[in-house]
Amino acid sequence: MPASKLNPSIALPDQLGLIAGRGAYPLLLAESARRQGVQRLVAVAFKKETDPSIAKLADEVHWLNFGQLEAMLTLLRRAGIRQAVMAGQITPTSLFRLRPDRRALQILAGLRARNAHTIFGAVSAELQTAGVTLLPAWLFMEQAMPAPGQLSARAPTAREQSDIELGLRVAKTISSLEIGQTVAVKEGVILAVEAFEGTDAALLRAGKLGGLGLVAVKVAKQGHDMRFDIPVVGLKTMAILKKAGAGALAVEAGRTILLEREKVIQAADRMQLAMVAVAGDHGAN
């Protein structure tokens, strides 16, 4: 079996289960997994969430409603899948439209708080009982995770750099409290912190409050479990930043996935957006 480029001690599987949420992330991961030697790809897709294009990349696609945990475990077991990854988000309000089966109800009843880490952590434990190991998605997305340094043609100004440093401290704090991963700052003022509404809505709210020149900072939480809910920036994020009037974006180096990395950086340059990857906590799984 081929080895991970980022961690050669980890062997990549010949067969892989992909639990696919919304957006381009699952599609790009599937393409990368194929390039790295995955010969058989079985996708679990969610109705009204997953991009139907996943059918062009996977050998099998099984469509479920979000919350059908028993069905997911059964189909992965029957497909002979022993290793899987999670990629892509679920629309936050889906938690309030959830139609859980009996097994999902059991794990939800045992959670004191419901957030990405508690829910997906519990799902990971259920996968393990079914003989399926959940792998960190970065095994297939190494090239999309930037090292520390300047990514765009324009460097942050002194004011933007000061806001980045403040935003990094605040973002780490709110993420550790399971509030969100993104903070918007302007001239030392915290304009918005991401909560249940998600990154895009938080950035647009910040733009309305602060006008042109805001600084956005996106991080992983302290001790982030890199098997799920990895911070992601893609072309949609760049369009939102443009609409919000952002002047700079800082992401956490080695802990954030840039979907279609070169296109994202090109978009930053067209916007005259200063984009950097900054060092943060590296004590995650």
Side-chain angles (χ1 to χ4, degrees):
M1 290 191 290
S4 163
K5 295 177 182 177
L6 188 62
N7 191 336
S9 66
I10 299 178
L12 299 180
D14 295 326
Q15 301 185 81
L16 181 70
L18 172 58
I19 302 170
R22 61 187 170 93
Y25 181 15
L27 306 179
L28 294 173
L29 187 144
E31 291 174 348
S32 178
R34 290 293 199 189
R35 287 195 299 270
Q36 295 191 55
V38 171
Q39 297 175 12
R40 179 169 172 255
L41 188 63
V42 176
V44 176
F46 298 102
K47 298 172 184 176
K48 299 182 180 180
E49 295 281 353
T50 311
D51 188 327
S53 298
I54 194 66
K56 300 176 183 178
L57 300 168
D59 297 287
E60 302 174 29
V61 179
H62 300 270
W63 290 92
L64 302 176
N65 290 311
F66 186 55
Q68 290 184 269
L69 180 58
E70 185 65 53
M72 181 178 75
L73 297 175
T74 298
L75 71 88
L76 288 174
R77 186 167 52 243
R78 288 178 177 172
I81 295 299
R82 294 291 175 261
Q83 292 170 300
V85 293
M86 288 185 183
Q89 296 177 319
I90 297 295
T91 303
T93 51
S94 292
L95 290 176
F96 296 115
R97 301 195 306 266
L98 188 63
R99 290 184 288 175
D101 59 19
R102 182 179 301 177
R103 192 154 186 175
L105 279 171
Q106 289 174 343
I107 69 167
L108 288 172
L111 299 178
R112 295 180 63 182
R114 297 184 185 182
N115 54 58
H117 280 73
T118 59
I119 292 172
F120 292 130
V123 170
S124 174
E126 292 297 309
L127 286 166
Q128 194 68 50
T129 64
V132 180
T133 299
L134 192 63
L135 301 174
W138 57 254
L139 285 175
F140 303 96
M141 301 295 286
E142 301 96 328
Q143 301 305 313
M145 301 176 77
Q150 182 177 324
L151 300 172
S152 60
R154 184 174 78 80
T157 64
R159 191 273 295 175
E160 289 169 339
Q161 185 59 43
S162 178
D163 283 345
I164 286 170
E165 292 168 5
L166 173 60
L168 183 61
R169 294 195 302 273
V170 174
K172 280 294 180 182
T173 298
I174 68 161
S175 66
S176 69
L177 297 172
E178 303 290 356
I179 296 172
Q181 300 173 325
T182 304
V183 170
V185 188
K186 184 177 179 182
E187 298 177 5
V189 176
I190 306 301
L191 296 173
V193 297
E194 176 191 0
F196 193 67
E197 81 274 35
T199 300
D200 294 352
L203 291 173
L204 292 173
R205 177 161 50 89
K208 290 179 181 178
L209 291 170
L212 294 175
L214 69 87
V215 170
V217 179
K218 191 174 185 69
V219 303
K221 77 167 190 172
Q222 301 283 350
H224 193 105
D225 190 326
M226 295 297 281
R227 295 175 300 171
F228 42 78
D229 197 32
I230 300 174
V232 171
V233 170
L235 291 174
K236 181 183 177 184
T237 311
M238 303 308 288
I240 294 294
L241 287 166
K242 182 177 181 179
K243 188 173 182 179
L249 169 66
V251 298
E252 187 171 0
R255 310 287 299 284
T256 305
I257 290 175
L258 302 183
L259 299 177
E260 299 180 288
R261 175 173 175 159
E262 294 305 316
K263 291 182 180 180
V264 164
I265 295 173
Q266 289 168 7
D269 289 340
R270 286 195 300 271
M271 296 162 52
Q272 290 293 299
L273 181 88
M275 184 174 180
V276 296
V278 295
D281 165 48
H282 292 277
N285 295 329

